[in-house]
Amino acid sequence: MKLFKYIFWLLYRIWFYILVALPILLLFPILLVSIAKESWYPYFFRIARLWAKFILIGMGFAYSIKRDEVPDKNKSYMFIANHTSMADIMLMLVTVKNPFVFVGKAELAKIPLFGFFYKRTCILVDRSSPKSRQAVFLRAQRRLKSGLSICIFPEGGVPEEHVMLDSFKDGAFRLAINHQTPIVPITFADNKKRFSYTFFSGSPGRMRVKVHKFIPTEGLKIEDTKGLNENSRTVILNQLEAFESK
């Protein structure tokens, strides 16, 4: 029985990478055009949302999204969520309709095909380099000023399997305060169970999402960063605990 499980997990991982690569290959010319100008990014974003839905449905993930508040399509936001799975990127794209730019780790740019577009459309950060973190801050500012939103997984990485929610880094909250941009906390309940970074694991099934009431930043100053950080983390942690009890 264990052998069959390992075979399934191996094939399931391979299938995931096929689903990731296939639409990129088929739509390669269109994708190239959509990233030719920074002002065309919203068109790329629409294609990315379809790509994300294709992957989630192809993997057998039945996602359900509950919203306490809906973003205004004409405003910019700072979207944050807990991070446990490679599928978090896809689920975030499906959950949020407002065009946003990911701030993510530079290592993902090495993935064939996916990495080509990732490094040209996302803001990459090398967390070991203070210079890189400063460059990220400036690039994110430019995107916010252009009317786009930003998405950051504020744990700064993927926590160990036994950790429900790691501490949050301050970068997203400093940026939100600087631009008086509302924080939108989002909780992903089942991604670790469905498709974690542990290779031999995962299965089709439900993925619950909760989009929480926005946390305003109007009038806040940089010295309020820690409080905003802790407030945002508490919202997501409480929801994770509520999901666990169901």
Side-chain angles (χ1 to χ4, degrees):
M1 183 63 73
K2 272 194 172 183
L3 177 61
F4 286 116
K5 277 188 176 181
Y6 282 111
I7 292 172
F8 169 78
W9 284 327
L10 175 62
L11 294 175
Y12 200 51
R13 293 277 155 169
I14 293 170
W15 178 238
F16 174 78
Y17 290 114
I18 290 172
L19 290 175
V20 168
L22 188 60
I24 297 175
L25 284 170
L26 293 175
L27 299 173
F28 196 83
I30 298 171
L31 290 169
L32 275 180
V33 171
S34 70
I35 64 170
K37 288 185 179 180
E38 200 168 278
S39 60
W40 292 350
Y41 180 80
Y43 300 106
F44 173 84
F45 184 80
R46 289 180 195 173
I47 300 170
R49 293 191 76 234
L50 293 173
W51 168 81
K53 287 181 183 179
F54 175 79
I55 294 167
L56 294 178
I57 293 169
M59 292 294 288
F61 298 145
Y63 55 88
S64 61
I65 305 167
K66 293 186 177 179
R67 307 175 194 273
D68 287 341
E69 199 169 347
V70 178
D72 184 328
K73 65 180 180 179
N74 297 313
K75 291 185 179 179
S76 295
Y77 298 89
M78 177 64 68
F79 297 101
I80 64 167
N82 54 311
H83 193 23
T84 58
S85 168
M86 286 185 280
D88 292 344
I89 291 173
M90 295 82 189
L91 195 56
M92 183 63 80
L93 284 165
V94 167
T95 300
V96 177
K97 294 181 180 179
N98 292 45
F100 65 81
V101 176
F102 277 111
V103 174
K105 54 188 180 182
E107 302 93 277
L108 292 180
K110 297 175 183 176
I111 299 174
L113 277 179
F114 170 83
F116 176 84
F117 291 99
Y118 176 79
K119 67 184 177 185
R120 287 164 175 79
T121 57
C122 300
I123 300 171
L124 308 190
V125 57
D126 177 358
R127 299 191 188 275
S128 65
S129 166
K131 188 177 178 181
S132 172
R133 291 199 298 271
Q134 179 61 27
V136 164
F137 202 76
L138 295 172
R139 288 188 66 194
Q141 281 186 325
R142 193 177 81 246
R143 292 303 184 100
L144 284 169
K145 286 178 180 177
S146 73
L148 295 173
S149 295
I150 298 292
C151 174
I152 297 178
F153 296 111
E155 289 165 284
V158 180
E160 294 182 19
E161 287 284 327
H162 67 279
V163 177
M164 182 177 284
L165 186 68
D166 213 340
S167 58
F168 284 0
K169 311 295 184 187
D170 285 337
F173 308 101
R174 282 200 305 269
L175 192 61
I177 289 173
N178 277 347
H179 289 272
Q180 301 289 278
T181 304
I183 299 284
V184 182
I186 300 173
T187 304
F188 295 150
D190 309 290
N191 295 16
K192 186 187 294 186
K193 195 182 300 180
R194 296 280 75 84
F195 204 74
S196 79
Y197 280 86
T198 299
F199 190 85
F200 288 108
S201 67
S203 66
R206 68 177 179 174
M207 280 183 164
R208 292 167 293 174
V209 181
K210 179 66 177 287
V211 180
H212 300 278
K213 192 171 178 61
F214 308 162
I215 301 175
T217 58
E218 289 91 343
L220 295 185
K221 299 179 180 178
I222 289 300
E223 51 263 35
D224 299 311
T225 298
K226 278 293 177 190
L228 183 60
N229 179 330
E230 290 167 8
N231 186 12
S232 302
R233 185 178 181 277
T234 298
V235 169
I236 293 176
L237 181 59
N238 288 345
Q239 187 61 60
L240 284 171
E241 290 172 345
F243 276 134
E244 283 287 312
S245 65
K246 291 180 182 178

